[in-house]
Amino acid sequence: MSVVKASHVYKVFGKRQNEVVKRLEEGADRNDLTKLGMAAVIDASFEVEAGEIFVVMGLSGSGKSTLIRTLNGLWSTTSGSVEVLGTDLAKADASTVRKVRSKHVSMVFQHFALLPHRTVRENAAYSLEIQGMSKAKRLAKADEWLKTVGLDGWGDKYPQQLSGGMQQRVGLARALAAETDILLMDEAFSALDPLIRREMQEQLVELQSRLNKTIIFITHDLNEAMFLGDRIAVMRDGRIVQIGTAEEILTEPADDYIAEFVQDVDRTRVLTASSIMRQTKAFINVDSGPRLAMKTLEENNSSGLLVLDDDRTVLGLVSDRTVVTAAREGHRTLRDIVEKTDLYSVSPETPISELFAPSSTAKVPLTVVDENNRLLGIVPRVALLNSMADPGPATGEIPAVKEELEPLVVSPTAGENDSQDGAAFANEYDLPSESVSSNESVSSADAVEAGDDAERRGL
Amino acid sequence: MDFMNPRLPLGTWVSDFLDWFTATFQWLLDFITLILGGLYDILNLAFSTPIYLVMIVILAVVAYFAAGWKVALFTLIGFYVVRALDQWANTMSTLALVIVAVIVALIIAIPLGILAAKISWVSAVVKPILDFMQSMPALAYLVPAILMFGIGQTPGAIATIIFALPPGVRLTELAIRQVNSEVVEAGQAFGATSGHILTKIQIPLAMTTIMAGINQVIMLALSMVVLAGMVGAGGLGGAVVGGISSLDVPLAVEAGLSVVVVAIFLDRVTAALGQRTPIERARKAAAASS
């Protein structure tokens, strides 16, 4: 069920608002209408589901702060409707809107917006004060929430005595204390320095896993959006350009603007194993004999096979050597020779950034498995390198590979090429980079997918 | 009317209007006289009845709790000197008149300032009127005031109120407008009513500046009260005016010095009160710990 529903929301500032809306609906550009009025939000429609973190991302002036303020009625919409838990804010009277705010929607502000003349505890209790709770009760409750956000014992201080990060925790405690289903966060972490910001983001995710609120989070920071957002709406010049998960926006940007925007994002934190994993045929059922295994090895030009159960549960792997030995010793199945030591399994949701360490030491590609340990795909090292290469030479990954591959055709100006060329280069390197890695580990089964080492084939 | 030698009989029109106004609204003027005069009489009686030493101690205690021992010490010595200059009765009369004028001025100025901060057309209307009130020579208020209220304390109080009012309105409006809009928005976002936002957020946060406005109102009222001596308001003003008209140097100096004592007392006490608002308390607590 959608908790917040915005349909065709327009917000125009200025004298002739309705005319601006009409002209925009007819397809006019908002920059041509500045004499009539300033359109801050144009035709925004979206639904936010219960328990979701919905991030609205855009640069300053994109209308995101105005949009979030229409969601709790701080701004009325010029046209279109906003429904919060079934209440249409445009049609509700002032006291209904106030009730919606105090009971259902609370807000965290960019510059904290704490009351400087009140103590931290009184600030945290402010939302409860408006709900009409008695003083003793609300202060006790405020203390609980301060504890939840990690500010135990700071209740008697004044906001000025706290650091920015701590002040925002008070803001968060105040919003959480209201125990509303919906939490609006307007650039809540933007005023904090990067380390604190990261800490707050992690705390928010942790709190969210316990409290399961519906959070609408505004930010101009793409990395923050990607880290927090279950879904992200990207805004530009008042319009929502794309709504999707972090991966969708990264891998299928709706237009050049978004593509350019996501270029600098740290994709290793956003992309997950599932988006770079590959299918493989280099696997074999555990009940097959060594002869079949040898045949499969040969068909796949591979030096190792994954061994699976009947329902694709990953049991381990066999290397070319053990298969040959087993065939010589007359084993009927592979059950006795399955090795588990080199196998490293990850879930499809694991961010790429967490794959590098295991991948660098593993002798075989990482296996991607579901919660029942069933095989979904594999992540060979080359796929990992490729995912890094995508943004282009600027990341510095390409030159590093290039050096080891001196004999290959590499023009000295490659580093100056634009990103598309860079991607093309990276693709050319697919095979070579694979062979580089398999050279490092002689007995490895690295080439399960695409290895074409002549010596191995001779086996 | 000769175009080359224009003469606009504005003064006559105003005078005629005042005559009409006085005749028509005599009941209103009587009522105002009753209130202002009554308030003044009560205060003056309260100040003058105790023997002067008791009154000095009371003033010193007020000064001590508001502004500390230094101001209290000054109050003790200053008002003792006033008594020694034989200006005690006049000083108490002036103090009473100032307090009456300030109370009335604030009752008008603060709500008007809040309204002006909240409603833009009120601000647009009030601003030129305040400009007019401030730039008009103070003595020019006195004549119509005498016309309407006769000689005595009331026209003095009226002229004082009009003269002292503008900074109260202006600084209140400024103070409310200066309150961080995000904090006000926070109040709205949590569902507070505008009354709650005004009393729990805006006024507490604006209090320091509002107190500065009140301080200005008091100082202007004191300066005007002296001029009001010309219309028979008595007190120190009367003494100064008397000193001027009879070239009585000793009297003028002694009365003038007493005005200074009262001025310093009122200024220090009200300025100190401005440092005791909730927001200043929080600021001090923060400064003390860091």
Side-chain angles (χ1 to χ4, degrees), chain B residues 221-253:
Chain B
L222 187 62
S223 68
M224 190 60 193
V225 150
V226 175
L227 282 179
M230 288 187 157
V231 294
L236 290 172
V240 171
V241 171
I244 294 171
S245 55
S246 59
L247 287 179
D248 186 343
V249 175
L251 177 63
V253 168

PDB file of all heavy atoms in Angstrom, chain B residues 221-253:
ATOM      1  N   ALA B 221      11.306  57.835  26.265  1.00  0.00           N
ATOM      2  CA  ALA B 221      10.240  58.352  27.131  1.00  0.00           C
ATOM      3  C   ALA B 221      10.823  59.315  28.156  1.00  0.00           C
ATOM      4  O   ALA B 221      10.267  60.390  28.409  1.00  0.00           O
ATOM      5  CB  ALA B 221       9.538  57.197  27.833  1.00  0.00           C
ATOM      6  N   LEU B 222      11.978  58.948  28.710  1.00  0.00           N
ATOM      7  CA  LEU B 222      12.605  59.807  29.714  1.00  0.00           C
ATOM      8  C   LEU B 222      12.977  61.165  29.112  1.00  0.00           C
ATOM      9  O   LEU B 222      12.752  62.217  29.712  1.00  0.00           O
ATOM     10  CB  LEU B 222      13.842  59.110  30.283  1.00  0.00           C
ATOM     11  CG  LEU B 222      14.482  59.830  31.457  1.00  0.00           C
ATOM     12  CD1 LEU B 222      13.494  59.903  32.616  1.00  0.00           C
ATOM     13  CD2 LEU B 222      15.739  59.125  31.887  1.00  0.00           C
ATOM     14  N   SER B 223      13.534  61.129  27.889  1.00  0.00           N
ATOM     15  CA  SER B 223      13.935  62.397  27.285  1.00  0.00           C
ATOM     16  C   SER B 223      12.711  63.256  26.979  1.00  0.00           C
ATOM     17  O   SER B 223      12.751  64.478  27.071  1.00  0.00           O
ATOM     18  CB  SER B 223      14.760  62.156  26.021  1.00  0.00           C
ATOM     19  OG  SER B 223      13.948  61.598  25.020  1.00  0.00           O
ATOM     20  N   MET B 224      11.607  62.610  26.619  1.00  0.00           N
ATOM     21  CA  MET B 224      10.400  63.366  26.271  1.00  0.00           C
ATOM     22  C   MET B 224       9.702  63.907  27.510  1.00  0.00           C
ATOM     23  O   MET B 224       9.096  64.977  27.491  1.00  0.00           O
ATOM     24  CB  MET B 224       9.453  62.444  25.490  1.00  0.00           C
ATOM     25  CG  MET B 224       8.280  63.149  24.864  1.00  0.00           C
ATOM     26  SD  MET B 224       8.839  64.411  23.684  1.00  0.00           S
ATOM     27  CE  MET B 224       7.302  65.282  23.453  1.00  0.00           C
ATOM     28  N   VAL B 225       9.814  63.137  28.602  1.00  0.00           N
ATOM     29  CA  VAL B 225       9.165  63.552  29.839  1.00  0.00           C
ATOM     30  C   VAL B 225       9.703  64.909  30.286  1.00  0.00           C
ATOM     31  O   VAL B 225       8.977  65.736  30.840  1.00  0.00           O
ATOM     32  CB  VAL B 225       9.376  62.461  30.904  1.00  0.00           C
ATOM     33  CG1 VAL B 225       9.409  63.057  32.278  1.00  0.00           C
ATOM     34  CG2 VAL B 225       8.286  61.419  30.797  1.00  0.00           C
ATOM     35  N   VAL B 226      10.988  65.142  30.006  1.00  0.00           N
ATOM     36  CA  VAL B 226      11.565  66.434  30.362  1.00  0.00           C
ATOM     37  C   VAL B 226      10.898  67.548  29.538  1.00  0.00           C
ATOM     38  O   VAL B 226      10.525  68.591  30.065  1.00  0.00           O
ATOM     39  CB  VAL B 226      13.090  66.409  30.127  1.00  0.00           C
ATOM     40  CG1 VAL B 226      13.685  67.783  30.372  1.00  0.00           C
ATOM     41  CG2 VAL B 226      13.729  65.386  31.056  1.00  0.00           C
ATOM     42  N   LEU B 227      10.729  67.288  28.232  1.00  0.00           N
ATOM     43  CA  LEU B 227      10.047  68.275  27.394  1.00  0.00           C
ATOM     44  C   LEU B 227       8.606  68.486  27.859  1.00  0.00           C
ATOM     45  O   LEU B 227       8.055  69.580  27.784  1.00  0.00           O
ATOM     46  CB  LEU B 227      10.038  67.818  25.930  1.00  0.00           C
ATOM     47  CG  LEU B 227      11.330  68.015  25.160  1.00  0.00           C
ATOM     48  CD1 LEU B 227      11.166  67.502  23.740  1.00  0.00           C
ATOM     49  CD2 LEU B 227      11.723  69.489  25.152  1.00  0.00           C
ATOM     50  N   ALA B 228       8.026  67.380  28.347  1.00  0.00           N
ATOM     51  CA  ALA B 228       6.632  67.462  28.773  1.00  0.00           C
ATOM     52  C   ALA B 228       6.457  68.428  29.942  1.00  0.00           C
ATOM     53  O   ALA B 228       5.342  68.872  30.229  1.00  0.00           O
ATOM     54  CB  ALA B 228       6.117  66.080  29.143  1.00  0.00           C
ATOM     55  N   GLY B 229       7.567  68.735  30.594  1.00  0.00           N
ATOM     56  CA  GLY B 229       7.506  69.723  31.656  1.00  0.00           C
ATOM     57  C   GLY B 229       6.937  71.048  31.165  1.00  0.00           C
ATOM     58  O   GLY B 229       6.331  71.814  31.920  1.00  0.00           O
ATOM     59  N   MET B 230       7.119  71.304  29.856  1.00  0.00           N
ATOM     60  CA  MET B 230       6.622  72.550  29.269  1.00  0.00           C
ATOM     61  C   MET B 230       5.111  72.654  29.280  1.00  0.00           C
ATOM     62  O   MET B 230       4.565  73.737  29.212  1.00  0.00           O
ATOM     63  CB  MET B 230       7.088  72.661  27.821  1.00  0.00           C
ATOM     64  CG  MET B 230       8.549  72.957  27.696  1.00  0.00           C
ATOM     65  SD  MET B 230       8.901  73.268  25.969  1.00  0.00           S
ATOM     66  CE  MET B 230      10.377  74.230  26.130  1.00  0.00           C
ATOM     67  N   VAL B 231       4.437  71.493  29.265  1.00  0.00           N
ATOM     68  CA  VAL B 231       2.968  71.544  29.245  1.00  0.00           C
ATOM     69  C   VAL B 231       2.404  71.302  30.633  1.00  0.00           C
ATOM     70  O   VAL B 231       1.259  70.904  30.788  1.00  0.00           O
ATOM     71  CB  VAL B 231       2.379  70.525  28.242  1.00  0.00           C
ATOM     72  CG1 VAL B 231       2.766  70.907  26.834  1.00  0.00           C
ATOM     73  CG2 VAL B 231       2.823  69.110  28.577  1.00  0.00           C
ATOM     74  N   GLY B 232       3.270  71.523  31.594  1.00  0.00           N
ATOM     75  CA  GLY B 232       2.761  71.455  32.956  1.00  0.00           C
ATOM     76  C   GLY B 232       2.714  70.070  33.534  1.00  0.00           C
ATOM     77  O   GLY B 232       1.929  69.781  34.428  1.00  0.00           O
ATOM     78  N   ALA B 233       3.542  69.171  32.987  1.00  0.00           N
ATOM     79  CA  ALA B 233       3.552  67.818  33.522  1.00  0.00           C
ATOM     80  C   ALA B 233       4.312  67.745  34.834  1.00  0.00           C
ATOM     81  O   ALA B 233       4.312  66.724  35.505  1.00  0.00           O
ATOM     82  CB  ALA B 233       4.173  66.853  32.512  1.00  0.00           C
ATOM     83  N   GLY B 234       4.969  68.836  35.194  1.00  0.00           N
ATOM     84  CA  GLY B 234       5.672  68.868  36.467  1.00  0.00           C
ATOM     85  C   GLY B 234       6.907  67.992  36.457  1.00  0.00           C
ATOM     86  O   GLY B 234       7.504  67.726  35.423  1.00  0.00           O
ATOM     87  N   GLY B 235       7.277  67.540  37.643  1.00  0.00           N
ATOM     88  CA  GLY B 235       8.426  66.662  37.759  1.00  0.00           C
ATOM     89  C   GLY B 235       9.720  67.369  37.414  1.00  0.00           C
ATOM     90  O   GLY B 235       9.827  68.602  37.448  1.00  0.00           O
ATOM     91  N   LEU B 236      10.728  66.568  37.045  1.00  0.00           N
ATOM     92  CA  LEU B 236      12.041  67.123  36.719  1.00  0.00           C
ATOM     93  C   LEU B 236      11.961  68.030  35.498  1.00  0.00           C
ATOM     94  O   LEU B 236      12.665  69.034  35.414  1.00  0.00           O
ATOM     95  CB  LEU B 236      13.044  65.996  36.459  1.00  0.00           C
ATOM     96  CG  LEU B 236      13.440  65.181  37.699  1.00  0.00           C
ATOM     97  CD1 LEU B 236      14.267  63.982  37.296  1.00  0.00           C
ATOM     98  CD2 LEU B 236      14.188  66.065  38.697  1.00  0.00           C
ATOM     99  N   GLY B 237      11.092  67.648  34.553  1.00  0.00           N
ATOM    100  CA  GLY B 237      10.913  68.476  33.363  1.00  0.00           C
ATOM    101  C   GLY B 237      10.467  69.870  33.738  1.00  0.00           C
ATOM    102  O   GLY B 237      10.997  70.871  33.237  1.00  0.00           O
ATOM    103  N   GLY B 238       9.487  69.916  34.629  1.00  0.00           N
ATOM    104  CA  GLY B 238       8.995  71.207  35.088  1.00  0.00           C
ATOM    105  C   GLY B 238      10.114  72.024  35.705  1.00  0.00           C
ATOM    106  O   GLY B 238      10.248  73.227  35.456  1.00  0.00           O
ATOM    107  N   ALA B 239      10.970  71.348  36.494  1.00  0.00           N
ATOM    108  CA  ALA B 239      12.070  72.041  37.157  1.00  0.00           C
ATOM    109  C   ALA B 239      13.060  72.591  36.144  1.00  0.00           C
ATOM    110  O   ALA B 239      13.504  73.741  36.243  1.00  0.00           O
ATOM    111  CB  ALA B 239      12.780  71.093  38.114  1.00  0.00           C
ATOM    112  N   VAL B 240      13.372  71.768  35.105  1.00  0.00           N
ATOM    113  CA  VAL B 240      14.309  72.219  34.078  1.00  0.00           C
ATOM    114  C   VAL B 240      13.726  73.408  33.332  1.00  0.00           C
ATOM    115  O   VAL B 240      14.400  74.428  33.131  1.00  0.00           O
ATOM    116  CB  VAL B 240      14.640  71.068  33.102  1.00  0.00           C
ATOM    117  CG1 VAL B 240      15.438  71.595  31.919  1.00  0.00           C
ATOM    118  CG2 VAL B 240      15.403  69.970  33.815  1.00  0.00           C
ATOM    119  N   VAL B 241      12.460  73.276  32.938  1.00  0.00           N
ATOM    120  CA  VAL B 241      11.809  74.363  32.201  1.00  0.00           C
ATOM    121  C   VAL B 241      11.767  75.631  33.053  1.00  0.00           C
ATOM    122  O   VAL B 241      12.066  76.738  32.587  1.00  0.00           O
ATOM    123  CB  VAL B 241      10.378  73.951  31.767  1.00  0.00           C
ATOM    124  CG1 VAL B 241       9.634  75.148  31.193  1.00  0.00           C
ATOM    125  CG2 VAL B 241      10.448  72.823  30.751  1.00  0.00           C
ATOM    126  N   GLY B 242      11.464  75.424  34.335  1.00  0.00           N
ATOM    127  CA  GLY B 242      11.456  76.556  35.240  1.00  0.00           C
ATOM    128  C   GLY B 242      12.827  77.209  35.325  1.00  0.00           C
ATOM    129  O   GLY B 242      12.965  78.434  35.320  1.00  0.00           O
ATOM    130  N   GLY B 243      13.860  76.372  35.363  1.00  0.00           N
ATOM    131  CA  GLY B 243      15.225  76.866  35.419  1.00  0.00           C
ATOM    132  C   GLY B 243      15.568  77.695  34.203  1.00  0.00           C
ATOM    133  O   GLY B 243      16.199  78.751  34.299  1.00  0.00           O
ATOM    134  N   ILE B 244      15.106  77.210  33.022  1.00  0.00           N
ATOM    135  CA  ILE B 244      15.391  77.938  31.784  1.00  0.00           C
ATOM    136  C   ILE B 244      14.672  79.276  31.783  1.00  0.00           C
ATOM    137  O   ILE B 244      15.266  80.323  31.534  1.00  0.00           O
ATOM    138  CB  ILE B 244      14.937  77.113  30.552  1.00  0.00           C
ATOM    139  CG1 ILE B 244      15.773  75.837  30.426  1.00  0.00           C
ATOM    140  CG2 ILE B 244      15.051  77.953  29.277  1.00  0.00           C
ATOM    141  CD1 ILE B 244      15.261  74.874  29.386  1.00  0.00           C
ATOM    142  N   SER B 245      13.377  79.243  32.110  1.00  0.00           N
ATOM    143  CA  SER B 245      12.583  80.465  31.950  1.00  0.00           C
ATOM    144  C   SER B 245      13.010  81.543  32.928  1.00  0.00           C
ATOM    145  O   SER B 245      12.888  82.727  32.634  1.00  0.00           O
ATOM    146  CB  SER B 245      11.089  80.137  32.097  1.00  0.00           C
ATOM    147  OG  SER B 245      10.883  79.482  33.330  1.00  0.00           O
ATOM    148  N   SER B 246      13.528  81.165  34.093  1.00  0.00           N
ATOM    149  CA  SER B 246      13.952  82.197  35.041  1.00  0.00           C
ATOM    150  C   SER B 246      15.471  82.296  35.125  1.00  0.00           C
ATOM    151  O   SER B 246      15.993  82.913  36.040  1.00  0.00           O
ATOM    152  CB  SER B 246      13.361  81.884  36.428  1.00  0.00           C
ATOM    153  OG  SER B 246      13.809  80.607  36.841  1.00  0.00           O
ATOM    154  N   LEU B 247      16.162  81.666  34.155  1.00  0.00           N
ATOM    155  CA  LEU B 247      17.633  81.658  34.119  1.00  0.00           C
ATOM    156  C   LEU B 247      18.215  81.259  35.473  1.00  0.00           C
ATOM    157  O   LEU B 247      19.207  81.801  35.933  1.00  0.00           O
ATOM    158  CB  LEU B 247      18.163  83.018  33.680  1.00  0.00           C
ATOM    159  CG  LEU B 247      17.970  83.333  32.208  1.00  0.00           C
ATOM    160  CD1 LEU B 247      18.505  84.726  31.906  1.00  0.00           C
ATOM    161  CD2 LEU B 247      18.651  82.300  31.342  1.00  0.00           C
ATOM    162  N   ASP B 248      17.565  80.293  36.102  1.00  0.00           N
ATOM    163  CA  ASP B 248      17.983  79.803  37.415  1.00  0.00           C
ATOM    164  C   ASP B 248      18.981  78.670  37.205  1.00  0.00           C
ATOM    165  O   ASP B 248      18.612  77.507  37.087  1.00  0.00           O
ATOM    166  CB  ASP B 248      16.734  79.322  38.169  1.00  0.00           C
ATOM    167  CG  ASP B 248      17.071  78.922  39.597  1.00  0.00           C
ATOM    168  OD1 ASP B 248      18.276  78.706  39.889  1.00  0.00           O
ATOM    169  OD2 ASP B 248      16.138  78.808  40.397  1.00  0.00           O
ATOM    170  N   VAL B 249      20.280  79.025  37.109  1.00  0.00           N
ATOM    171  CA  VAL B 249      21.301  78.022  36.795  1.00  0.00           C
ATOM    172  C   VAL B 249      21.324  76.890  37.819  1.00  0.00           C
ATOM    173  O   VAL B 249      21.320  75.709  37.439  1.00  0.00           O
ATOM    174  CB  VAL B 249      22.691  78.677  36.664  1.00  0.00           C
ATOM    175  CG1 VAL B 249      23.761  77.609  36.454  1.00  0.00           C
ATOM    176  CG2 VAL B 249      22.688  79.672  35.524  1.00  0.00           C
ATOM    177  N   PRO B 250      21.365  77.172  39.125  1.00  0.00           N
ATOM    178  CA  PRO B 250      21.438  76.066  40.092  1.00  0.00           C
ATOM    179  C   PRO B 250      20.308  75.062  39.922  1.00  0.00           C
ATOM    180  O   PRO B 250      20.529  73.858  39.891  1.00  0.00           O
ATOM    181  CB  PRO B 250      21.342  76.774  41.436  1.00  0.00           C
ATOM    182  CG  PRO B 250      21.780  78.166  41.167  1.00  0.00           C
ATOM    183  CD  PRO B 250      21.370  78.482  39.762  1.00  0.00           C
ATOM    184  N   LEU B 251      19.092  75.556  39.752  1.00  0.00           N
ATOM    185  CA  LEU B 251      17.939  74.672  39.629  1.00  0.00           C
ATOM    186  C   LEU B 251      18.069  73.809  38.380  1.00  0.00           C
ATOM    187  O   LEU B 251      17.870  72.588  38.424  1.00  0.00           O
ATOM    188  CB  LEU B 251      16.642  75.505  39.568  1.00  0.00           C
ATOM    189  CG  LEU B 251      15.364  74.688  39.353  1.00  0.00           C
ATOM    190  CD1 LEU B 251      15.127  73.731  40.520  1.00  0.00           C
ATOM    191  CD2 LEU B 251      14.148  75.603  39.160  1.00  0.00           C
ATOM    192  N   ALA B 252      18.420  74.449  37.247  1.00  0.00           N
ATOM    193  CA  ALA B 252      18.535  73.713  35.983  1.00  0.00           C
ATOM    194  C   ALA B 252      19.582  72.620  36.101  1.00  0.00           C
ATOM    195  O   ALA B 252      19.367  71.476  35.678  1.00  0.00           O
ATOM    196  CB  ALA B 252      18.882  74.666  34.843  1.00  0.00           C
ATOM    197  N   VAL B 253      20.729  72.936  36.703  1.00  0.00           N
ATOM    198  CA  VAL B 253      21.797  71.948  36.825  1.00  0.00           C
ATOM    199  C   VAL B 253      21.370  70.801  37.731  1.00  0.00           C
ATOM    200  O   VAL B 253      21.545  69.619  37.400  1.00  0.00           O
ATOM    201  CB  VAL B 253      23.087  72.619  37.362  1.00  0.00           C
ATOM    202  CG1 VAL B 253      24.096  71.552  37.766  1.00  0.00           C
ATOM    203  CG2 VAL B 253      23.673  73.548  36.318  1.00  0.00           C
TER     204      VAL B 253
END
